[in-house]
Amino acid sequence: AKTIEDYHDCVRGATTRFNLQETEIRRRTAWSKLGYPTSPSEDRERLDRLRNCHEGERVFILGNGPSLVKCDLNKLGSEFTFGVNKIHLLFDQIDWRPNFYTLLDWKMGASVAQDLAVDDETIRFFPERFRGMLPTTSQTYWYTTRPMGIHIDDQFEPNAVRGIPSKGTVLVTAIQQAFFLGFRDIYLIGVDAAYQIPESVIQSGPDYFGTGTKLHLESTADDDANHFAANYFGTGDRWHDPNVAEMRRMFLRMRKGVERHGGRLVNATVGGELDELPRVNFGDLF
């Protein structure tokens, strides 16, 4: 088995010698060769100290769909919240910050590296693949990923120290991390589960998922209608076919996993097309 030290030996110096996008490509190549290395033991032990620290409480996981800003976000100031990816683009509209944050996608890590503030109290869960690339604070915790298997035990992991099976969307990771923290009532908002590829987007590569959309996408304008901000995937941003059908399958698996371990995963999104989870009216939760 490869260790995380073996992995970092392959990419040592990449962050300083290359720009972030080139670093992403180099690290992704190393990752594919070395598999899924685990975090050092001291990081696993530190992460384990967070287990069930919010036992019995509720949390709101914020998707980044356009419906997010249809919620009265002021109501979340006194709630536990979990943000992902480019949630920082929302910060000029709210006077609170998410308690927790995570990301997963290779391109996303390179995209947000220079935007992540280093002076807030948000607890951050970063995957090992980005160690040395992303700014860290005393509230940064490292986690490892593992392939998504076919059995429920290989699809939902209640103990993040053992590695998180992830597929389809970063929210799959956030849900498992929230459960690990002890939250048993997990509410999703801003999860529209619907995408339209603007005509201004440059498509390249194969139709990998058989969706009619090519795998590699590059925005040429700030015209993103799929997220709460038009510049979320704006001019020059690189992303990939979101494969919405796979997202929905993963949410259903997360529902089964959460319920199997005694929790609830509920969709409080305003509108949207995610019907694989039980729904509740956002306003009725307060």
Side-chain angles (χ1 to χ4, degrees):
K2 296 294 184 179
T3 67
I4 196 64
E5 287 77 14
D6 295 326
Y7 171 67
H8 288 305
D9 281 344
C10 287
V11 295
R12 196 173 305 283
T15 303
T16 57
R17 295 207 307 268
F18 301 94
N19 66 37
L20 287 169
Q21 290 186 356
E22 290 170 335
T23 299
E24 167 222 322
I25 295 171
R26 183 175 177 180
R27 288 196 172 203
R28 192 168 192 171
T29 300
W31 190 270
S32 65
K33 292 179 179 178
L34 292 175
Y36 294 80
T38 59
S39 299
S41 59
E42 59 268 25
D43 286 290
R44 297 197 303 272
E45 292 169 2
R46 182 168 175 265
L47 177 62
D48 193 42
R49 289 195 286 272
L50 292 181
R51 191 194 316 207
N52 290 328
C53 63
H54 290 284
E55 187 172 3
E57 299 182 285
R58 73 177 186 177
V59 66
F60 290 82
I61 297 180
L62 281 59
N64 292 330
S67 68
L68 181 62
V69 292
K70 296 179 182 179
C71 297
D72 183 358
L73 297 176
N74 292 323
K75 293 183 179 295
L76 298 180
S78 58
E79 298 283 343
F80 288 107
T81 53
F82 208 126
V84 299
N85 292 350
K86 292 188 177 182
I87 193 62
H88 64 274
L89 296 177
L90 183 71
F91 289 174
D92 62 349
Q93 302 179 48
I94 57 177
D95 58 7
W96 50 269
R97 296 294 178 264
N99 303 94
F100 311 98
Y101 172 85
T102 198
L103 76 168
L104 178 68
D105 183 77
W106 283 102
K107 290 182 173 61
M108 185 59 65
S111 176
V112 304
Q114 296 177 342
D115 298 309
L116 293 172
V118 296
D119 58 352
D120 60 36
E121 295 300 315
T122 299
I123 292 177
R124 302 174 178 189
F125 298 101
F126 288 163
E128 276 292 346
R129 63 180 66 171
F130 295 132
R131 192 186 287 263
M133 279 181 63
L134 301 180
T136 60
T137 71
S138 61
Q139 297 286 66
T140 298
Y141 292 81
W142 297 96
Y143 73 92
T144 55
T145 58
R146 71 174 199 246
M148 180 80 70
I150 59 174
H151 190 275
I152 185 62
D153 289 337
D154 297 318
Q155 296 173 349
F156 180 87
E157 176 54 70
N159 182 4
V161 179
R162 293 199 288 252
I164 298 177
S166 301
K167 191 177 183 181
T169 167
V170 65
L171 296 178
V172 165
T173 301
I175 290 166
Q176 293 174 83
Q177 289 166 342
F179 194 92
F180 169 73
L181 291 168
F183 294 107
R184 293 299 177 263
D185 288 311
I186 302 173
Y187 296 95
L188 302 184
I189 62 173
V191 184
D192 294 70
Y195 272 81
Q196 295 181 345
I197 309 302
E199 293 183 0
S200 60
V201 169
I202 298 173
Q203 300 189 29
S204 61
D207 179 2
Y208 187 79
F209 300 117
T211 62
T213 299
K214 294 183 178 179
L215 180 61
H216 303 297
L217 307 174
E218 181 177 351
S219 295
T220 61
D222 292 345
D223 59 356
D224 186 351
N226 299 307
H227 296 92
F228 64 83
N231 62 338
Y232 190 95
F233 283 142
T235 306
D237 280 328
R238 299 178 306 133
W239 41 304
H240 56 75
D241 178 3
N243 193 0
V244 174
E246 181 72 358
M247 284 186 188
R248 292 178 179 170
R249 284 191 291 269
M250 291 305 106
F251 283 124
L252 182 56
R253 291 181 185 180
M254 291 303 99
R255 174 188 176 181
K256 292 179 178 179
V258 169
E259 291 178 350
R260 183 169 184 252
H261 292 278
R264 292 196 309 151
L265 180 62
V266 181
N267 184 13
T269 297
V270 178
E273 299 181 14
L274 179 60
D275 296 322
E276 284 74 8
L277 306 181
R279 284 183 176 266
V280 65
N281 184 285
F282 177 79
D284 292 342
L285 296 174
F286 305 92

